[in-house]
Amino acid sequence: MKKVLLASTALVAMSGAAFAGAHTDGVSVSGTAGIWLQDNGVDDVMVNYDLNLSFSAEGTTDGGLTMGLDYTTLEDGTVDNTEVFMSGAFGKLTVGDVDDALQMAAGMGDIGYDGIGIDNVAEVARGAGDASGVLYSYSADAFAVYLSHNMDTAFDDIAVGVTASFGGFGIGIGYEDTDFTGGTVAADLSGSFGDASVAVYYEDSDLGSGYGLEIGYDMGDVGLSLAYADHDAAADAGVGIGMSYDLGGATLAAGVGDAGGETVWDLGVSMDF
């Protein structure tokens, strides 16, 4: 753990000298605003709002070395994501609130406006120690490799992942070792067939095996989705349907289903700025 922190400190010091004459593109600001309703199966129906502000910046040296940052805040002023990255011919090194290598390689998507949690039924062991870490990635054509180490002292998390795409198909596989879940292997396979898409997910760890299926259909401004997930450690399987509608500058999204024994739904509209 100390070795990782020392290495991060050395990179920051080195980058300060390297970027003394960097060409910067300035700071860009973007955001998302939304209003939505949710029933999570536990509390009463809740009215929620989203207000996310994201700041990003990067600069490049004459030698082609790029360094940048991403910083996102939530509606209550708390910080949702902070990352600093350095990239070049060697690949990309990101330090901060990053997904680990297994999460980058394999996983399920959720349905609904904010996500009703169908994917969580299958993804019991995926990303157990990703609170703060170091992620290295390298991509070449249709292939990508990921390596990560968690910096959170709660877990000792090391992960590796590989992805590949060819035609309308993609595959990803990853391995993660943590003190909490032991060794976790996860993989997903996806494919598109015209307006339809299909994806399957599988994971195996000391907590058992989980699997999921996603089916999507695009009808222009309207998108429909179906998700199913189960795990040895879950009391019940999860299943749900989702819908999204392009309002021309804003998006309406909704989802309803059974997330491991509880009926859940959400509905909301959002706009990006």
Side-chain angles (χ1 to χ4, degrees), residues 29-258:
V29 182
S30 60
T32 301
I35 299 174
W36 53 292
L37 301 174
Q38 176 193 43
D39 184 347
N40 60 12
V42 178
D43 304 309
D44 294 332
V45 175
M46 296 178 291
V47 181
N48 303 291
Y49 72 97
D50 288 325
L51 177 57
N52 301 333
L53 291 177
S54 298
F55 302 85
S56 61
E58 67 176 45
T60 305
T61 66
D62 292 337
L65 184 65
T66 298
M67 189 172 185
L69 64 89
D70 292 297
Y71 182 91
T72 302
T73 63
L74 299 179
E75 53 270 6
D76 59 0
T78 60
V79 178
D80 178 54
N81 183 69
T82 54
E83 297 178 2
V84 175
F85 67 86
M86 181 182 294
S87 63
F90 61 88
K92 183 177 182 179
L93 183 68
T94 306
V95 180
D97 186 16
V98 296
D99 288 339
D100 66 25
L102 183 146
Q103 290 176 299
M104 296 294 293
M108 285 187 66
D110 203 358
I111 59 175
Y113 173 87
D114 189 57
I116 60 176
I118 303 300
D119 59 326
N120 296 335
V121 178
E123 296 174 340
V124 173
R126 175 179 174 269
D130 69 336
S132 180
V134 178
L135 173 68
Y136 168 77
S137 60
Y138 182 85
S139 59
D141 297 325
F143 297 91
V145 177
Y146 305 92
L147 299 171
S148 66
H149 187 285
N150 178 49
M151 294 167 58
D152 187 341
T153 56
F155 297 108
D156 186 14
D157 177 5
I158 299 175
V160 59
V162 179
T163 62
S165 59
F166 40 94
F169 297 89
I171 185 172
I173 185 169
Y175 175 79
E176 175 184 68
D177 186 82
T178 73
D179 297 336
F180 176 60
T181 60
T184 299
V185 176
D188 68 30
L189 177 65
S190 60
S192 58
F193 311 88
D195 295 328
S197 61
V198 177
V200 293
Y201 172 77
Y202 176 80
E203 74 170 38
D204 184 75
S205 72
D206 292 350
L207 303 179
S209 298
Y211 53 91
L213 170 67
E214 302 168 78
I215 300 174
Y217 190 75
D218 185 5
M219 299 185 295
D221 291 337
V222 178
L224 301 176
S225 56
L226 169 68
Y228 175 85
D230 201 0
H231 196 282
D232 293 340
D236 298 285
V239 61
I241 56 175
M243 178 276 296
S244 64
Y245 180 59
D246 186 351
L247 299 175
T251 301
L252 174 70
V256 60
D258 186 322

